[in-house]
Amino acid sequence: MTRPRRVRDLVRAYVRTGGLTRPSRDLDLSALVRSTTAAAPVEASGEERRVLALCSRQRALSVAEIAAHVDLPPSAARIVIARLMDHGLLTTPTHPHITASHDLLKEVLDGLRALV
Amino acid sequence: MDCAPSSEQGGVTYLSDTVTRSTKLLIAGHFSVGKTTFVDCVSEVEPLRTEEAMTQVSAGVDDVAGLPHKTHTTVALDFGRLTLNEELVLYLFGTPGQPRFLPLWHDLAKGALGALVLVDTRRLTESDPILALLEEQGLPYAVAVNQFDRAHRHPLDAVREALDLADDTPLTSCDARDRTSSLHALITLVRFLFNRMEPTP
Ligand SMILES: Nc1nc2c(ncn2[C@@H]2O[C@H](COP(=O)(O)OP(=O)(O)OP(=O)(O)O)[C@@H](O)[C@H]2O)c(=O)[nH]1
Ligand SMILES: [Mg+2]
């Protein structure tokens, strides 16, 4: 019996992220991420480089989209992204967590209604 | 009966540079109820999929050493996105129903505005654990009957009773393969979420 490939990938990701098994900050899968002008350090891992190559300075992607595009499990992608944020290479356009409010729900409702 | 056109085949579709805020909703439901179909159909971009690795620890009867038996499974997580206005984007996460994916659930539910629970009238009892889980987590939800072609059309009142829904829980029906129909189900959910929340002082 062989293990699913993804499990090995995840283990590898953990090894490459210095054995960290939790992200250094609370990052929601829907949090938006952009890159900065800072240059990647030479010691950046393969995963880190792939994430940096994907991210754009002007146009955001969510943590979940980054995970899907670089083919990492979300838990591993979060560790990599959090580390890159710690190093100032990635940033979130505004506060990463927005909470449910009357105003936000109105905005979502109006937005959905405009789509039909 | 139209699915959202995919704007870039196999490529990356970045958000518009004016988008700076995001929020999320969960599309929940038991096995094979149409969650992926729903998310795929509504999403403005080609729907995306990731796989999360999960480790399960169970008492292994077959294990001579009596050590807990560890198994690795992966769970597919699919999601889509809808840009709602110049600044705001909504993510929809198809949330697997199996209780063994509970850790993933907690993660997804945190910060979500609410959940749309898809149900299949042929297997209503399978929705019970999902509703229980949402209630336990305090995540507000609406229910949408996904109309399968060969399923007998139950009156919604009977479905409400069978699922033992609270009087104010919205119950609607949709065809997860139809974009307009699915968007209307989302509107039903968000209208409910909006109405139950007090205006910001
Ligand atoms: N006739 C009909 N078939 C549907 C509808 N929605 C989904 N299906 C079919 O039902 C099957 C299961 O749908 P999925 O969208 O994969 O369901 P799911 O909830 O994502 O399933 P899991 O992720 O495996 O739990 C697929 O073969 C779909 O094509 C519907 O509204 N009508
Ligand atoms: Mg699915």
Side-chain angles (χ1 to χ4, degrees), chain B residues 135-158:
Chain B
E135 284 160 18
E136 216 175 277
Q137 302 199 321
L139 196 66
Y141 63 85
V143 177
V145 173
N146 188 18
Q147 301 285 7
F148 284 84
D149 302 330
R150 274 166 300 161
H152 179 71
R153 302 278 157 119
H154 289 59
L156 288 182
D157 280 350

Side-chain angles (χ1 to χ4, degrees), chain B residues 32 34-37 49 76 78:
Chain B
S32 199
K35 302 178 293 291
T36 301
T37 308
R49 184 152 312 179
D78 32 47

Side-chain angles (χ1 to χ4, degrees), chain A residues 3-4 6-7 10 26 28-32 34 54 56 58-62 64-65 67-69 72-75 78 93-94 98 100-109 111-113 115-116, chain B residues 11-17 19-24 48-53 72 74 77 79 81-82 84-85 88-89 91 93 107-108 110 113 183-184 186-187 190-191 193-194 197-200:
Chain A
R3 276 200 196 168
R6 237 20 125 233
V7 174
L10 181 63
D26 197 12
D28 195 272
L29 283 179
S30 62
L32 301 183
R34 287 182 186 168
L54 172 72
S56 146
Q58 282 88 32
R59 314 176 93 204
L61 285 174
S62 63
E65 285 168 298
H69 287 303
L72 278 175
S75 56
R78 275 206 286 217
T94 52
I98 57 172
S101 68
H102 203 254
D103 291 349
L104 174 64
L105 288 163
K106 178 85 173 80
E107 217 182 324
V108 175
L109 190 55
L112 288 172
R113 281 180 172 150
L115 289 171
V116 291
Chain B
V12 181
T13 314
Y14 293 89
L15 288 160
S16 153
D17 56 9
V19 174
T20 52
R21 293 181 293 135
S22 63
T23 188
K24 65 177 174 177
L48 293 156
R49 184 152 312 179
T50 63
E51 279 180 18
E52 191 57 270
H72 296 278
T74 59
L77 183 67
F79 60 97
R81 131 190 147 191
L82 282 172
L84 296 178
N85 61 39
L88 181 67
V89 60
Y91 286 92
F93 288 94
D107 227 37
L108 286 171
K110 207 171 132 202
L113 298 176
L183 283 171
H184 277 294
L186 287 176
I187 290 169
V190 179
R191 199 194 307 123
L193 298 174
F194 174 70
M197 188 164 285
E198 296 298 314
T200 329

Side-chain angles (χ1 to χ4, degrees), chain B:
Chain B
M1 285 284 202
D2 230 0
C3 271
S6 51
S7 32
E8 259 177 65
Q9 206 74 33
V12 181
T13 314
Y14 293 89
L15 288 160
S16 153
D17 56 9
T18 54
V19 174
T20 52
R21 293 181 293 135
S22 63
T23 188
K24 65 177 174 177
L25 291 172
L26 306 189
I27 309 301
H30 62 68
F31 180 70
S32 199
V33 73
K35 302 178 293 291
T36 301
T37 308
F38 188 100
V39 170
D40 285 11
C41 192
V42 161
S43 180
E44 71 186 13
V45 290
E46 202 158 319
L48 293 156
R49 184 152 312 179
T50 63
E51 279 180 18
E52 191 57 270
M54 311 273 309
T55 305
Q56 283 179 274
V57 183
S58 55
V61 273
D62 50 272
D63 197 345
V64 230
L67 294 167
H69 191 70
K70 272 195 179 183
T71 49
H72 296 278
T73 51
T74 59
V75 50
L77 183 67
D78 32 47
F79 60 97
R81 131 190 147 191
L82 282 172
T83 301
L84 296 178
N85 61 39
E86 286 205 339
E87 284 177 22
L88 181 67
V89 60
L90 171 70
Y91 286 92
L92 300 174
F93 288 94
T95 311
Q98 293 87 326
R100 66 176 189 275
F101 301 138
L102 206 60
L104 190 63
W105 253 89
H106 287 299
D107 227 37
L108 286 171
K110 207 171 132 202
L113 298 176
L116 182 69
V117 183
L118 300 180
V119 301
D120 177 348
T121 50
R122 295 166 298 182
R123 296 182 294 158
L124 281 179
T125 52
E126 287 179 47
S127 300
D128 287 338
I130 297 179
L131 299 180
L133 202 58
L134 288 167
E135 284 160 18
E136 216 175 277
Q137 302 199 321
L139 196 66
Y141 63 85
V143 177
V145 173
N146 188 18
Q147 301 285 7
F148 284 84
D149 302 330
R150 274 166 300 161
H152 179 71
R153 302 278 157 119
H154 289 59
L156 288 182
D157 280 350
V159 174
R160 175 178 290 281
E161 198 170 323
L163 290 174
D164 194 20
L165 298 182
D167 290 342
D168 66 339
T169 301
L171 174 64
T172 184
S173 61
C174 71
D175 182 333
R177 299 162 305 174
D178 180 79
R179 187 162 200 254
T180 306
S181 162
S182 298
L183 283 171
H184 277 294
L186 287 176
I187 290 169
T188 300
L189 166 66
V190 179
R191 199 194 307 123
F192 165 68
L193 298 174
F194 174 70
N195 288 333
R196 67 190 281 283
M197 188 164 285
E198 296 298 314
T200 329

